[in-house]
Amino acid sequence: MRERRRGLQTFSQAMKTPVFIISLVIAVSFVIMGVFLPNFEPYIEGIFAWVTEYLGWSLILGAGVFVLVTIYLIFSPLGEIKLGEDGESPAYSTTSWFAMLFSAGMGIGLLFWGVSEPINHYDWPKFAEPQSSAAIHEALQFSLFHWGFHPWAIYAIVAASLAYFTYRKGLPMLLSSTLEPILGRDGIDGKIGSTVNIIGVISTLFGISTSLGFGVMQIGGGFEALFGIPNSTGLWLTIIFVVTLMAIISTTTGIDRGIKWLSQANLGVAGSLMIFVLILGPTLFILDALTHSTGQYLQNFFSMSFGIDAAGEGQEGWYDAWTIFYWAWWISWAPFVGSFIARVSRGRTIRSFAIGVMLAPTAASIVWFSIFGGAALFNEHYTDTSIIDAVMQDEAAGFFALLESFPLTNLLVVIAMLSLTVFFVTSSDSGTYVLGMLTSKGNMFPPMKLRITWGVLEGAFAAVLLMAGGLSALQTSAVLGGFPFMIIMFFMIYSLIYALNKELREGSLPYERSRIYAALADLQKEDRFSEEIIEEEDLEDAYNIYENEATEVIDEVHLDDEEEADAEEDTENEKDK
């Protein structure tokens, strides 16, 4: 079904809205401070340290709650509701849908951290002895934990809320629309609603700039591996300019062509690279590690979900550097990825939507880290190949350090860089759509100039963060964008559950309504069947009674005939006498 055009249709209209103006002022101010403010890096690092120390517990607790709520939506009767009208079919095929949400959700991050994170955990484990056999198991276990159910549950909460209130309730696709039970329809565009949307815009800018920064650093690492060009700030700025230009060109083609085609093609490229490493790498070790780490992840899921090491049993600062950073990063990505997933998920039930969003990408992440991380850990622990040195020098170099241990190294590096570039383009392209929707009052086809404006600012944000401190600045930006939006997500959960239960009470939920109708139909069939049985039994009884009465009459007739015959015989005898 073609979506009805909502929101502002022109760039000039969007420029007059408070959400666009305030968001633009904040974004441009941040860019100017990053360029001209001296000692910008210490400010960034100080904010990161304060948030992780005093607010880290809330991010751990919040992410765990989001997983539990998503599981509830899957197994409760509310899961049968359509993210759209009754009987509506999904807008995209399952393959296209999965490719788009996967590319937008974490494509760049998988390539950046697929080798570097397990190697980091191997060298700096949470509890195990560094560079030991136990550290191998712990490295993969926590890598799967950071890229498994939690991030996709976070995305699912935002996406389900947006899709429900947009496609089911007819509201514009705005973050403030998800709070309609609290704000009311008039409050969506009010001061509180506008504040929610502004927080979503800024959070999206920080979150997507973090990923784009990772992508730039790793593409630069590829150039260094291939051509010996130093992976420096100058190279980063050049890559940002070129790839941002490609993303702007892609955004002019629309979702159905640009993002959809690129996502499907890139899924094939990344999958081919993964299969190549599996076959030519330590295959048996990878399969063993996949089985073992998956079991450890599932067995210790809840203890890891709510663990923060309050007593200081493990390595100091580990949770701040890893789990807290990751949860903040995923939450800062939630407005962007959640909005985009909602945009392409029309027509699915909440249950099928949540299962698809939670299980399929998690399974892909498990396989990805088991193959690339497993191969890297095997080379580091059992061979003379050293990947730790490359990772300690530059996290972006870890992936290419692994590829250098395989034949056709240069070809593999080119393929990896191509995949990174496409992930960069699709992420930036998807981000421009989301930012355009949020600043055009929910127009799902935002004006072209608006998308281009946000595309340029995404690149500028990534450039400023890289110049302000590289990886540490990127991590800080994720935390800055994540915590404020987490508060909004709790209100989203309340509003979504409240609205769904209200439908259930009113009998308007499709699943409940159809179940009631089916039960009534069954009762009517049973009543008719009972009546037919009763009628048949009555007829049979009547027939038996009639047959008995008829038999008695016949017997009486026969008896009368016999008596009459005897009387006639007696009369004849008397005449003879």
Side-chain angles (χ1 to χ4, degrees), residues 76-87:
S76 73
L78 304 179
E80 288 296 326
I81 192 171
K82 278 269 189 180
L83 297 175
E85 299 176 2
D86 294 349

Side-chain angles (χ1 to χ4, degrees), residues 3 76 249 398 431 523:
E3 293 93 342
S76 73
I249 294 173
L523 287 174

Side-chain angles (χ1 to χ4, degrees), residues 32 47 58 63 118 133 138-139 196 212 228 246 273 281 285 305 354 369 385 404 422 425 440 475 536 541 562:
I32 292 174
I47 293 171
S58 64
S133 298
E138 189 175 296
V196 169
L212 297 184
M246 294 172 61
L273 188 64
F285 176 83
S305 297
F369 272 95
T385 304
E404 288 177 358
V422 176
V425 171
S440 63
Q475 291 175 319
E536 290 178 0
D541 292 339
E562 290 175 357

Side-chain angles (χ1 to χ4, degrees), residues 312-359:
E313 178 186 2
Q315 296 291 335
E316 183 180 358
W318 190 93
Y319 273 103
D320 295 348
W322 290 105
T323 305
I324 293 174
F325 155 67
Y326 267 124
W327 290 178
W329 185 22
W330 300 135
I331 293 171
S332 70
W333 259 53
F336 150 55
V337 180
S339 298
F340 184 77
I341 293 176
R343 174 69 177 79
V344 298
S345 298
R346 180 166 189 162
R348 299 181 182 274
T349 64
I350 288 180
R351 177 170 295 123
S352 65
F353 163 85
I355 290 174
V357 171
M358 281 274 285
L359 297 186

Side-chain angles (χ1 to χ4, degrees), residues 135-457:
I136 292 177
H137 294 153
E138 189 175 296
L140 287 176
Q141 175 185 337
F142 276 97
S143 296
L144 301 189
F145 172 58
H146 291 148
W147 293 81
F149 293 118
H150 282 75
W152 291 101
I154 292 168
Y155 297 159
I157 294 295
V158 179
S161 299
L162 277 168
Y164 171 75
F165 284 102
T166 300
Y167 300 135
R168 187 76 179 170
K169 295 296 186 181
L171 298 176
M173 186 168 279
L174 294 170
L175 294 170
S176 58
S177 296
T178 64
L179 306 182
E180 185 264 347
I182 299 174
L183 301 178
R185 297 221 167 194
D186 294 335
I188 291 173
D189 290 325
K191 292 181 180 180
I192 297 178
S194 297
T195 301
V196 169
N197 293 325
I198 291 169
I199 292 173
V201 170
I202 301 304
S203 180
T204 297
L205 277 173
F206 277 121
I208 196 172
S209 298
T210 302
S211 290
L212 297 184
F214 287 151
V216 169
M217 291 173 67
Q218 193 157 28
I219 293 173
F223 276 104
E224 185 172 12
L226 282 175
F227 308 110
I229 302 174
N231 192 13
S232 60
T233 304
L235 179 61
W236 293 344
L237 295 178
T238 303
I239 295 171
I240 288 174
F241 175 79
V242 173
V243 180
T244 300
L245 182 62
M246 294 172 61
I248 291 173
I249 294 173
S250 173
T251 198
T252 62
T253 62
I255 290 179
D256 290 335
R257 285 179 290 176
I259 298 176
K260 178 181 175 181
W261 291 352
L262 286 174
S263 298
Q264 289 177 331
N266 202 34
L267 204 62
V269 172
S272 300
L273 188 64
M274 185 171 61
I275 292 172
F276 181 89
V277 173
L278 173 63
I279 294 175
L280 296 184
T283 306
L284 182 59
F285 176 83
I286 289 173
L287 296 176
D288 288 342
L290 168 65
T291 304
H292 185 89
S293 57
T294 303
Q296 279 191 310
Y297 170 46
L298 296 177
Q299 181 180 356
N300 299 286
F301 178 77
F302 286 103
S303 62
M304 289 191 298
S305 297
F306 296 97
I308 195 172
D309 194 18
E313 178 186 2
Q315 296 291 335
E316 183 180 358
W318 190 93
Y319 273 103
D320 295 348
W322 290 105
T323 305
I324 293 174
F325 155 67
Y326 267 124
W327 290 178
W329 185 22
W330 300 135
I331 293 171
S332 70
W333 259 53
F336 150 55
V337 180
S339 298
F340 184 77
I341 293 176
R343 174 69 177 79
V344 298
S345 298
R346 180 166 189 162
R348 299 181 182 274
T349 64
I350 288 180
R351 177 170 295 123
S352 65
F353 163 85
I355 290 174
V357 171
M358 281 274 285
L359 297 186
T362 297
S365 297
I366 289 174
V367 173
W368 182 276
F369 272 95
S370 297
I371 291 176
F372 287 102
L377 290 168
F378 179 88
N379 288 350
E380 182 64 44
H381 192 74
Y382 296 104
T383 71
D384 296 332
T385 304
S386 178
I387 300 178
I388 287 181
D389 294 338
V391 171
M392 293 300 105
Q393 183 178 356
D394 183 3
E395 276 87 354
F399 196 82
F400 299 112
L402 172 66
L403 296 182
E404 288 177 358
S405 64
F406 288 87
L408 304 174
T409 298
N410 290 341
L411 176 61
L412 295 179
V413 171
V414 170
I415 293 174
M417 290 176 63
L418 176 63
S419 184
L420 270 169
T421 302
V422 176
F423 276 134
F424 191 126
V425 171
T426 52
S427 295
S428 180
D429 193 353
S430 305
T432 60
Y433 263 95
V434 171
L435 292 169
M437 286 191 297
L438 293 177
T439 53
S440 63
K441 293 191 174 182
N443 183 359
M444 286 184 283
F445 305 89
M448 185 64 61
K449 291 182 181 179
L450 190 61
R451 280 182 269 162
I452 293 173
T453 299
W454 290 118
V456 172
L457 280 173

